[in-house]
Amino acid sequence: MMTFSEIEQIFNRAFSKSFCRKKILFLFPILAACGVLTVFCRTLSIGVNHHVWMSLSFLPLFLSTGILLAAGVMLIKMYVFEIKGMDYKIGKLFVSSMQMVVGISYLCFPLILAYLVLWSVMGVFYLLKQVPAFGDIFGTLLSFGPYLLVLGSIALAIVSILLLFFITPHVALKKTLRMNIAAEVTQRMKKSIFANGVLLFTGMIPLTLVLFFLILGAVMTGASYFMPQDALAMGIRWLMMMLPFCMIVTPFVIFFFNFSLESYMLFKKRERETGNGSTSTLEKKKEEPCLV
């Protein structure tokens, strides 16, 4: 069983390494690119029907997931070097990790495909609503369909967060990208869903709080300062707000990945102490030494 002192230890260590200038300069342009993508989709969604609006609301999230998965691998490798007290160069680290960085980014494709399927099925319900004379009846009787499809889209968004927290450290500590990563993560979850949930919740607390205040500030600014104008002007204004938004949130995204690695290594430590680990000697050689 994990103790509060162990969680406190890894939380403090992950947070103390979250304000590294080198990592902030690395991650900020990536988050800014994700922000530009989000603003672009938000701008396109102004004045469109609800079907297209929903598509443009979720699609940037899944595209950004692929980008952040690749960035997370790099951040975790940097964190390993920092904990060891070793210097590193981002360029050399990126070149040596190219295969894993590119490979892990492909994990967002199933999410995108699944969402496109949900979006396409949602379009069928919108078409049924337009049937003359019977459209309202179809829309009423089949209202459970769009509800389930929206829930499915939200579930895919949650899966994106789970991928970022649980998959990234498994990939980052391996020498090569392997196909049994999903089985390893599933095995970890089976050992203690509650403990993994607590660690995920703990790792998301700082980021969630910061995002709440940043989004609240952005909404209030948009309501009180922005005047209704054309989509291009609104897009430029949101883009200008996105830059400080990304700068402020950058250290907390770094913490999220730092803590994901600490959580992974804590479970490895528990396995060794209880003797329940199934990791072979060859697999241990492929991983970085334990941090906790």
Side-chain angles (χ1 to χ4, degrees):
M1 291 292 293
M2 293 180 297
T3 64
F4 177 80
S5 60
E6 287 177 320
I7 298 177
E8 180 184 15
Q9 177 188 356
I10 64 175
F11 184 98
N12 291 336
R13 180 163 55 187
F15 195 83
S16 66
K17 302 294 184 181
S18 300
F19 295 88
C20 172
R21 182 174 62 180
K22 187 182 293 188
K23 289 194 292 187
I24 290 176
L25 292 177
F26 165 78
L27 184 60
F28 171 70
I30 297 174
L31 293 181
C34 295
V36 170
L37 177 64
T38 303
V39 170
F40 177 73
C41 292
R42 178 183 173 86
T43 303
L44 292 179
S45 66
I46 296 178
V48 299
N49 60 55
H50 292 291
H51 184 217
V52 178
W53 176 85
M54 192 185 77
S55 172
L56 295 175
S57 298
F58 282 95
L59 193 58
L61 172 63
F62 302 127
L63 294 174
S64 298
T65 298
I67 298 174
L68 290 177
L69 281 169
V73 169
M74 290 291 296
L75 290 171
I76 288 176
K77 287 183 174 292
M78 294 178 199
Y79 184 59
V80 171
F81 278 101
E82 290 173 353
I83 293 299
K84 292 180 177 179
M86 300 169 59
D87 192 21
Y88 61 89
K89 293 186 180 300
I90 295 179
K92 292 183 178 179
L93 191 59
F94 179 77
V95 172
S96 64
S97 307
M98 177 70 74
Q99 180 184 1
M100 287 183 291
V101 168
V102 175
I104 194 174
S105 63
Y106 290 153
L107 293 178
C108 71
F109 288 166
L111 294 177
I112 295 175
L113 292 176
Y115 177 70
L116 291 178
V117 171
L118 293 178
W119 181 72
S120 300
V121 176
M122 178 71 79
V124 175
F125 287 94
Y126 276 92
L127 289 176
L128 289 175
K129 285 183 62 178
Q130 304 303 319
V131 174
F134 297 99
D136 291 338
I137 298 176
F138 288 150
T140 301
L141 296 178
L142 301 177
S143 57
F144 66 90
Y147 171 72
L148 294 177
L149 292 173
V150 171
L151 286 182
S153 301
I154 296 174
L156 289 176
I158 296 175
V159 170
S160 299
I161 298 175
L162 296 178
L163 287 177
L164 291 172
F165 189 81
F166 292 109
I167 294 289
T168 310
H170 280 262
V171 173
L173 294 186
K174 299 295 187 297
K175 299 297 182 182
T176 57
L177 185 62
R178 300 176 302 160
M179 300 302 295
N180 64 339
I181 295 295
E184 293 180 5
V185 175
T186 302
Q187 183 181 9
R188 172 184 168 182
M189 296 298 295
K190 286 182 179 178
K191 290 179 179 178
S192 180
I193 295 178
F194 177 79
N196 282 288
V198 169
L199 291 172
L200 173 63
F201 179 77
T202 304
M204 289 187 61
I205 288 176
L207 180 60
T208 303
L209 290 176
V210 170
L211 285 175
F212 172 77
F213 287 108
L214 289 175
I215 294 174
L216 178 63
V219 171
M220 294 180 65
T221 301
S224 61
Y225 182 73
F226 292 174
M227 298 299 176
Q229 292 184 356
D230 59 279
L232 179 60
M234 290 295 295
I236 294 175
R237 289 181 174 180
W238 283 112
L239 184 61
M240 293 299 102
M241 289 177 55
M242 185 61 65
L243 296 177
F245 184 103
C246 292
M247 178 57 73
I248 295 173
V249 81
T250 296
F252 299 94
V253 175
I254 294 174
F255 167 80
F256 177 83
F257 286 111
N258 289 352
F259 193 80
S260 72
L261 175 62
E262 292 283 1
S263 301
Y264 171 77
M265 300 310 295
L266 182 58
F267 262 87
K268 287 294 183 181
K269 178 183 177 182
R270 295 292 94 190
E271 286 182 357
R272 289 196 303 272
E273 291 179 350
T274 58
N276 294 327
S278 59
T279 306
S280 65
T281 302
L282 179 60
E283 293 300 323
K284 290 179 181 178
K285 292 180 179 180
K286 292 182 180 180
E287 296 184 353
E288 296 290 346
C290 185
L291 300 181
V292 291

